[in-house]
Amino acid sequence: MNESLWIFGYGSIIWKTGFDYDESRLAYLPDRARRFWQASTDHRGTIASPGRVVTLIDQPGENCWGMAFKVPSASVELTLSNLDVREVGGYERESVTIHFPDKDPVRGLTYTAHPANPNYLGPASAVDIASQIASSEGPSGSNNEYVFELALALDNLQVEDPHIQDIAGLLKERTDTENAP
Ligand code: BEZ
C-alpha cells in the first residue's frame, strides 16, 4: 500500500485503538446508527453465553459519531490484517465516506456486521440487551466493561447516543443494586 488510509471507529476502536495513526478526528457517518445488535462469542462473551457488541445499521436522518484515524501508508497493510483478525466473528470491511464537523469528507473504511452474518442478533429491548450484557464475559473482559468504556469514550467526545446511554444506565442501576450494602 502506498497511500494512507482513514479508518472510522464507532466501538472499541475509539478507546482501544491498537494501531498507529498520524491524525485522529471526531467524525461521523450520515444516515447510520450504532446498535448492540451483534453477538460476541470471542471477545465479550463465549459461544455458550454470547455477549452483545455494536454494529452499524442504516438509519436515515441520523449520524453515527465516532473517531476517524489516519493510518500512515507504511502501517496500512499490518493494521488491516490485525483488524481483520480482531474483528473476526461477522464483521466485514466496508468502504465509507467519513464526515467531519469542519473539514471536507474523506473516503475510508469501517467494520460492519451485516444481518446475514451468523452472529447477528438484531433488535431487542434495552432491558433485554442489558440483561444479556450483564451476564456475559469473554477473553477480552466483561461485556459490562465494554459498554461502560464505550459510554465514557462517547461522553468524553461529547457525543450523545441515546441507545448507548440507555443501556449503560440500565447496567449502572444493576451494578449499583448488586453492590448496595
Ligand atoms: C469499531 O470500533 O469501529 C469497531 C469495533 C469492533 C467491531 C467493529 C467496529
Side-chain angles (χ1 to χ4, degrees):
M1 290 264 184
N2 49 16
E3 273 184 36
S4 58
L5 173 73
W6 282 96
I7 294 180
F8 178 79
Y10 58 93
S12 60
I13 287 175
I14 301 177
W15 79 88
K16 199 165 77 178
T17 310
F19 53 80
D20 290 340
Y21 55 90
D22 285 338
E23 197 181 333
S24 64
R25 295 186 198 163
L26 181 66
Y28 65 95
L29 301 184
D31 300 320
R32 305 297 290 268
R34 180 179 13 235
R35 292 287 183 269
F36 275 102
W37 289 5
Q38 173 73 358
S40 175
T41 56
D42 52 354
H43 281 297
R44 299 290 176 164
T46 58
I47 292 171
S49 176
R52 274 188 181 249
V53 287
V54 286
T55 184
L56 280 177
I57 61 159
D58 293 335
Q59 192 73 0
E62 267 195 42
N63 294 327
C64 179
W65 287 87
M67 287 294 292
F69 301 90
K70 188 178 183 188
V71 178
S73 55
S75 305
V76 168
E77 208 171 311
L78 180 64
T79 300
L80 287 180
S81 59
N82 287 341
L83 283 175
D84 286 348
V85 171
R86 172 174 156 187
E87 309 312 353
V88 77
Y91 290 92
E92 285 175 26
R93 295 183 194 177
E94 179 185 342
S95 292
V96 286
T97 302
I98 304 170
H99 293 249
F100 306 106
D102 51 6
K103 290 203 165 60
D104 289 341
V106 296
R107 292 294 293 168
L109 73 77
T110 193
Y111 283 80
T112 311
H114 296 285
N117 89 81
N119 286 343
Y120 187 79
L121 296 172
S125 70
V127 169
D128 286 350
I129 290 177
S131 330
Q132 183 174 350
I133 288 171
S135 60
S136 299
E137 180 155 14
S140 302
S142 75
N143 208 171
N144 263 11
E145 178 196 50
Y146 173 96
V147 178
F148 292 139
E149 292 281 8
L150 178 56
L152 178 65
L154 294 177
D155 214 34
N156 289 339
L157 296 173
Q158 297 184 308
V159 167
E160 283 203 12
D161 185 324
H163 176 74
I164 305 301
Q165 287 164 340
D166 283 356
I167 290 161
L170 288 166
L171 290 169
K172 171 103 181 32
E173 277 170 24
R174 290 176 80 114
T175 50
D176 287 350
T177 308
E178 281 161 19
N179 296 330

